[in-house]
Amino acid sequence: MTDRPGPDGQAPEGAGRQAGAGAEPADQAGPAAPGSSLPSPAGPGMLQHARQLSAGIYGTIVTAAILASAGTQLPTTELAVSVLVTLTVYWIAEEYADLLGGQIAGARPPGWRQIRAALAVSWTMVSASYLPLVVLLAATWAGASATDAASTALAAAAVELVVYALAAGRAAALRARPRFVVAASAALLGLAMIALKVFVLTRLPRLH
């Protein structure tokens, strides 16, 4: 075919187009350019990193809660064991619930590789307690009382919670102000745990 005008002097429909070329709709124009403001979907690596951070935050909160509530009642060794056992039970229970929900949604049981990968990703729920427990044992070996050692470990857990919050904000590519808000909220949560510890130390003995 040629692009010469038709009898009425009008160019035929489709003139000026190359063979096989068609007008592509705006919503089907392919992925956005690198400078586009459209969000890009998170890949598997980012999803795993997000789950590790959330598990670490959860484990730190549970660790701080145990240190705040039981730090005045248990010796150092028993307190450390209680933290590890509690987090291990929570870790297994949460992964069992997630895998069971995935089995219901997928209509088939998960394989051993899937189970092992899921457990490995969420292990930060337990490993988040390592730093506070090391501080707990170090303070005890340095001569601190069980209560003072638990308080020091609780402060370490509060700092760790802020670090996890900052890491989560950085992973989400938040700007400076939202990242500060996230870190401040984690700091307030840590202070709330310390306040709970102070309440247990000062108020509960008066109630008996």
Side-chain angles (χ1 to χ4, degrees):
M1 294 179 61
T2 64
D3 294 340
R4 288 178 298 181
D8 56 356
Q10 299 291 333
E13 184 179 358
R17 296 182 186 176
Q18 295 180 353
E24 189 175 7
D27 57 350
Q28 297 179 0
S36 174
S37 60
L38 295 177
S40 58
M46 180 61 70
L47 294 177
Q48 288 186 358
H49 183 55
R51 186 166 187 183
Q52 287 176 338
L53 288 174
S54 62
I57 292 172
Y58 183 57
T60 305
I61 293 174
V62 173
T63 300
I66 297 174
L67 291 172
S69 59
T72 59
Q73 304 173 8
L74 297 176
T76 299
T77 303
E78 284 80 354
L79 181 60
V81 172
S82 297
V83 170
L84 288 175
V85 170
T86 301
L87 287 176
T88 302
V89 171
Y90 281 9
W91 169 61
I92 295 175
E94 180 170 339
E95 285 309 311
Y96 174 76
D98 286 346
L99 291 172
L100 185 60
Q103 174 182 347
I104 295 175
R108 63 177 182 179
W112 169 242
R113 180 178 299 180
Q114 180 182 357
I115 295 174
R116 184 174 57 184
L119 291 175
V121 169
S122 62
W123 176 249
T124 48
M125 184 185 299
V126 180
S127 63
S129 67
Y130 291 171
L131 177 60
L133 292 184
V134 167
V135 172
L136 175 70
L137 297 176
T140 302
W141 291 335
S145 64
T147 301
D148 291 341
S151 298
T152 306
L154 179 59
V159 173
E160 185 180 50
L161 187 60
V162 174
V163 173
Y164 269 119
L166 288 173
R170 185 170 57 252
L174 297 180
R175 296 182 180 271
R177 182 174 297 179
R179 193 180 302 181
F180 173 79
V181 171
V182 171
S185 63
L188 289 176
L189 182 57
L191 291 176
M193 294 295 177
I194 295 176
L196 175 61
K197 175 77 171 180
V198 173
F199 174 80
V200 171
L201 284 174
T202 59
R203 296 293 182 179
L204 287 185
R206 299 179 183 178
L207 299 178
H208 295 289

